[in-house]
C-alpha cells in the first residue's frame, strides 16, 4: 500500500478510522517506555491445555505481495522462474499465503494484461501514480511461486476500473474447468467475457508454457476492491452505498487520460491532429459530459465531418469514454499544451452485489469479501445481501522524534487494533442477521507506518521494536479469530526510515536479508500449533496504566501431544521472570525454546550487520507443571513442550524446511 508523499498526519480522523488506522500522539510523560512498573505480586502465565478456544487459521502467516517490478523483483524474466535465492528465503520463512496483485495497484489492474507469453502482454496503469507499468509478473507467475513455496494466494479484483464480468472471468481462469460451458456474460462496457471453460483452457495453455502440469489453482479468498473509501484510490466511487449496490457518480474537472498513461501531464494537447483522449471511468451517462480546453468549454457534435477548421468541437463515445478532436480542417486542433479536462456522470456501474453474484456463478465455493466495513455499507447489505468476509487494514501510524514516545505509540497499536476488530464483529452482528456467525474477518494489510520526517532512529520501522509489534498483532489476530493475515510487505523497494508501506520482510534482491518481521512470522508459521488454548498473564509489569510489558498466547496440536507458548517481553531494559502454571498437560522433561532478540530495541538487520536481530534455540529442563522462566528484555520467546506420554523429538512442522529459527537458519 502506497500513499501520496507528505506528512502522514494530515489524513482526517474519519479516513483513519475507516481504514483501521490509528494515530496516537498523547503519551503520559510520567510513564517510561523502557522500565516496567510492577505490582509487587509475582508474574504468572497460566495455561489450561484442555480448554480449547478454537482453530488458529494457518492463513494468518502471510504477506501482501505486489505484481509490479516483476513482483518486487522475485521473478527471473530471462529464465521464466522465481529466483532460486528468493525461493530458498521464502521456504525458510514458511509463509502460507501472499496477496495478489497487491493493494492500491489492484484498482487499475486488469488481470488479462498479465497472462500469456510475456512479449505479448500490454502495459498497464500504476495504481500509485497512473504511470505505465509492465506485466511480466501475472497470476501464473504468482501461483508458480506460491506452489513451489507451499503457500496459496488471496486475490483482489478490480472494482475501481473493472467490471463484475471481468472479475468472474478472473475466477474462471484461476479455478475453472475446461469442460464448464457456463457463459460469463457481456459487461457494462460491451465486452463479452466468453465461458468458464474458455478461460480454464487458456490457464492450462499458460501453465504448460511454464512447464507445469495443468490444474486449477483453487483460490478461495477474493476481495472486491482495495481501500476504496480513500481518495488515494483510482475508482469510480468512494461511497459505500454505490459500492454496495452499484449506480453512478459524478466526476468534476478530471484530467483526461490515455489508455496506457493516466498521469496528469498526458491530459495536455500535443498540438497534433485527430487527438483522442479518454475519461477514466466509463461508461458515461449519455449527455452528462462537458469538456474544457484550457478552461474553455468546447461543444460535443455527432460527427466532425461537418465542422469547420475553427470550430471548437469534439465527438464523444459514452460507452468507452472517448473524446476525439478535429484535424484542423474538420474541427479545431486543441492548442499545444492546452489542458483538457472533463466533468461527467460515470456509470451505471456494477456494485458489490453484482460482483458477488457473477463470481459465485463461476465458483460457488469461493469466498468474497468487501473492503468497505462502515455501518453505512453493513446497513445497505443488511441480512439479505450476502458477503462472506470483511477486510480490515490495520496500519498503525507513528510520528515522533522522541524514542520513548514513539515506542509507546508503537506498542499500544495492537491493543487498539484488537478493539477495531471487535467493533467490526459487533457491526456484523448488528446488521447481518442469521448470517453473522458465518462472516469472517480478514486482515489483508497491516504493519507500522512511520512519518518519515518524524522518526526517532533510522529504520525504526524495521527494528526489533517493530518485531514486538508484529508478534502482538499476530497474537491479537489469533485471539479474534481472523482467517487471513497479510503483513505488508514481503519484498520490494524500501524507504530509508521505513516509511509508509515500506516495512518489508526481505531486503531487495539479490541481498535478501531477513528483517525482524521475517523471524517473527517464522516463529509462528514453523513452530506455533493449530489449536488455541486458554492462557492468561497475571500481575504482569506495566509500561503504562493499560499496556502490559508481558503478553502471551498458547496453542496445542489436534492430538494434544504438543503445547506451545509464545510470550512477548516489551520492556526495553528489564527481563521478566514469570511462573508457568500448566494444567491438563504433563510435559516431558525437556522443552525446546526459540528466542528472537537483538542488542537493543532499535536494532535492525541490514548489509554490514545482517543478523543483529535473530533467533537462537535452546532447551529447557522441566520438572512438574509449574516452572519459572525468565523472558529477556525486548524479546519474543516460543517454548514448545512435548507431552510426557510421547517420545520427544526436535520439532519441525515441515521436514523439508531447514531449521530457520537459529542464527544459521537464514543462510547468509
Amino acid at each position: 500500500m502506497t500513499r501520496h508523499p507528505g506528512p502522514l498526519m494530515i489524513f482526517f480522523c474519519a479516513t483513519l478510522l475507516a481504514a483501521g488506522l490509528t494515530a496516537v500522539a498523547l503519551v503520559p510523560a510520567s510513564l517510561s517506555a523502557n522500565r516496567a512498573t510492577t505490582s509487587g505480586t509475582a508474574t504468572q502465565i497460566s495455561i489450561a491445555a484442555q480448554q480449547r478456544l478454537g482453530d488458529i487459521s494457518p492463513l494468518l502467516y502471510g504477506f501482501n505481495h505486489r505484481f509490479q517490478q516483476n513482483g518486487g523483483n522475485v521473478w527471473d524474466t530471462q529464465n521464466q522462474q522465481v529466483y532460486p535465492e528468493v525461493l530458498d528465503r521464502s521456504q525458510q520463512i514458511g509463509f502460507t499465503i501472499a496477496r495478489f496483485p497487491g493493494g492500491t495497484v489492484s484498482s487499475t489492474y486488469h488481470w488479462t494484461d498479465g497472462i500469456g507469453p510475456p512479449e505479448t502482454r500490454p502495459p498497464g496503469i500504476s495504481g500509485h501514480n497512473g504511470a505505465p507499468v509492465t506485466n511480466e509478473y501475472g497470476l501464473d507467475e504468482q501461483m508458480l511461486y506460491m506452489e513451489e513455496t507451499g503457500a496459496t494466494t488471496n486475490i483482489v479484483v478490480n472494482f475501481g476500473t473493472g467490471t463484475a464480468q471481468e472479475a468472474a472471468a478472473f475466477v474462471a481462469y484461476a479455478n475453472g474447468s475446461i469442460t464448464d460451458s457456463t457463459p460469463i456474460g457481456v459487461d457494462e462496457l460491451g465486452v463479452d467475457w466468453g465461458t468458464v471453460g474458455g478461460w480454464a483452457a487458456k490457464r492450462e495453455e499458460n501453465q504448460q508454457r511454464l512447464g507445469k502440469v495443468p490444474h486449477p489453482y483453487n483460490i478461495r479468498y477474493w476481495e472486491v476492491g482495495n481501500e476504496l473509501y480513500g481518495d488515494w484510490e483510482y475508482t469510480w466511487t468512494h461511497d459505500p452505498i454505490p459500492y454496495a449496490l452499484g449506480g453512478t457518480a459524478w466526476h468534476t474537472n478530471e484530467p483526461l487520460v490515455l489508455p496506457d498513461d493516466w498521469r496528469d501531464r498526458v491530459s495536455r494537447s500535443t498540438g497534433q491532429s485527430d487527438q483522442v483522449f479518454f475519461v477514466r471511468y466509463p461508461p458515461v451517462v449519455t449527455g452528462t459530459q462537458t469538456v474544457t480546453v484550457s478552461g474553455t468549454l468546447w461543444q460535443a457534435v455527432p460527427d466532425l465531418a461537418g465542422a469547420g477548421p475553427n470550430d471548437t468541437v469534439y465527438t464523444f463515445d459514452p460507452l468507452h469514454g472517448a473524446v476525439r478532436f478535429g484535424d484542423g480542417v474538420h474541427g479545431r486542433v486543441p492548442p499545444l499544451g492546452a489542458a483538457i479536462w472533463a466533468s461527467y456522470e460515470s456509470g451505471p456501474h456494477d456494485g458489490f452485489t453484482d460482483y458477488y453474484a457473477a463470481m459465485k456463478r463461476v465458483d460457488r465455493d469461493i469466498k468474497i469479501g468487501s473492503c468497505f466495513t462502515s455501518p453505512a455499507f453493513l446497513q445497505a447489505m443488511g441480512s439479505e445481501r450476502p458477503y462472506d468476509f470483511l477486510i480490515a487494514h490495520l496500519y498503525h501510524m507513528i510520528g515522533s522524534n522522541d524514542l520513548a514516545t514513539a515506542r509507546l505509540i508503537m506498542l499500544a497499536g495492537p491493543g487498539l487494533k484488537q478493539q477495531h476488530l471487535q467493533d467490526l464483529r459487533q457491526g456484523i452482528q448488528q446488521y447481518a442477521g442469521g448470517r453473522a456467525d458465518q462472516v469472517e474477518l480478514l486482515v489483508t494489510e497491516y504493519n507500522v507506518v512511520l512519518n518519515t520526517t518524524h522518526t526517532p532512529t533510522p529504520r525504526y520501522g524495521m527494528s526489533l521494536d517493530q518485531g514486538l509489534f508484529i508478534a502482538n498483532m499476530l497474537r491479537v489476530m489469533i485471539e479474534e479469530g481472523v482467517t487471513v493475515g497479510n503483513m505488508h510487505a514481503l519484498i520490494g523497494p524500501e524507504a530509508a526510515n521505513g516509511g509508509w508501506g515500506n516495512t518489508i520482510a526481505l531486503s531487495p534482491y539479490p541481498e535478501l536479508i531477513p528483517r525482524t518481521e521475517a523471524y517473527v512470522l517464522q516463529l509462528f508459521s514453523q513452530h506455533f500449533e493449530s489449536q488455541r488454548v486458554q492462557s492468561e498473564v497475571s500481575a504482569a509489569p506495566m509500561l503504562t496504566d493499560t499496556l502490559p510489558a508481558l503478553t502471551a498466547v498458547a496453542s496445542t496440536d489436534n492430538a494434544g501431544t504438543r503445547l506451545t507458548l509464545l510470550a512477548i517481553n516489551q520492556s526495553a531494559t528489564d527481563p521478566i521472570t514469570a511462573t508457568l502454571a500448566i494444567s491438563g498437560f504433563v510435559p516431558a522433561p525437556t522443552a525446546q525454546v526459540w528466542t528472537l532478540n537483538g542488542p537493543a530495541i532499535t536494532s535492525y538487520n541490514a548489509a554490514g550487520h545482517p543478523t543483529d536481530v535473530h533467533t537462537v534455540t535452546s532447551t529447557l529442563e522441566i520438572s512438574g507443571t509449574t516452572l519459572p522462566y525468565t523472558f529477556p528484555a525486548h524479546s519474543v520467546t516460543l517454548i514448545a513442550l512435548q507431552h510426557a506420554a510421547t517420545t520427544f523429538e526436535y520439532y519441525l512442522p515441515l521436514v523439508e524446511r531447514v531449521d530457520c529459527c537459529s542464527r544459521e537458519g537464514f543462510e547468509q
Side-chain angles (χ1 to χ4, degrees), residues 56-116:
I56 298 170
S57 172
L59 302 182
L60 282 180
Y61 313 130
F63 290 103
N64 185 45
H65 188 53
R66 295 168 289 192
F67 81 96
Q68 292 183 195
Q69 299 173 320
N70 297 337
N73 202 22
V74 303
W75 185 254
D76 181 348
T77 56
Q78 182 175 354
N79 295 305
Q80 289 293 286
Q81 64 179 18
V82 180
Y83 286 111
E85 302 92 331
V86 171
L87 193 59
D88 288 346
R89 280 285 192 256
S90 300
Q91 291 170 339
Q92 289 166 7
I93 295 172
F95 65 83
T96 55
I97 192 167
R99 186 175 183 238
F100 181 85
T104 295
V105 298
S106 70
S107 292
T108 52
Y109 183 75
H110 297 286
W111 67 270
T112 53
D113 294 343
I115 62 172

Side-chain angles (χ1 to χ4, degrees), residues 21-247:
L21 295 162
T22 311
V24 181
L26 300 178
V27 178
S30 61
L31 296 172
S32 170
N34 296 324
R35 187 169 299 281
T37 59
T38 61
S39 63
T41 304
T43 302
Q44 179 171 290
I45 302 177
S46 303
I47 307 171
Q50 292 183 330
Q51 190 173 341
R52 301 195 179 195
L53 302 179
D55 294 338
I56 298 170
S57 172
L59 302 182
L60 282 180
Y61 313 130
F63 290 103
N64 185 45
H65 188 53
R66 295 168 289 192
F67 81 96
Q68 292 183 195
Q69 299 173 320
N70 297 337
N73 202 22
V74 303
W75 185 254
D76 181 348
T77 56
Q78 182 175 354
N79 295 305
Q80 289 293 286
Q81 64 179 18
V82 180
Y83 286 111
E85 302 92 331
V86 171
L87 193 59
D88 288 346
R89 280 285 192 256
S90 300
Q91 291 170 339
Q92 289 166 7
I93 295 172
F95 65 83
T96 55
I97 192 167
R99 186 175 183 238
F100 181 85
T104 295
V105 298
S106 70
S107 292
T108 52
Y109 183 75
H110 297 286
W111 67 270
T112 53
D113 294 343
I115 62 172
E119 64 272 13
T120 68
R121 300 180 188 181
I125 299 295
S126 169
H128 296 142
N129 57 20
V133 292
T134 56
N135 277 292
E136 296 93 346
Y137 187 86
L139 181 65
D140 295 304
E141 289 78 13
Q142 167 81 357
M143 293 310 298
L144 186 151
Y145 178 23
M146 293 301 102
E147 290 174 349
E148 291 190 358
T149 305
T152 187
T153 286
N154 51 312
I155 297 288
V156 190
V157 299
N158 181 348
F159 182 94
T161 60
T163 68
Q165 287 70 34
E166 180 182 2
F170 202 173
V171 177
Y173 184 86
N175 295 354
S177 166
I178 60 173
T179 63
D180 189 342
S181 60
T182 302
I184 294 172
V186 178
D187 70 13
E188 63 198 35
L189 298 173
V191 177
D192 187 338
W193 284 90
T195 66
V196 173
W199 289 111
K202 288 183 182 294
R203 179 197 67 235
E204 294 197 354
E205 176 185 340
N206 291 325
Q207 288 172 326
Q208 290 173 329
R209 176 181 53 80
L210 289 169
K212 296 298 178 182
V213 175
H215 63 284
Y217 293 130
N218 295 323
I219 298 169
R220 285 291 164 254
Y221 287 95
W222 297 76
E223 305 174 46
V224 179
N226 177 80
E227 298 179 2
L228 298 177
Y229 39 75
D231 62 4
W232 52 84
E233 297 288 330
Y234 287 119
T235 179
W236 67 269
T237 184
H238 298 289
D239 189 297
I241 306 304
Y243 168 83
L245 306 178

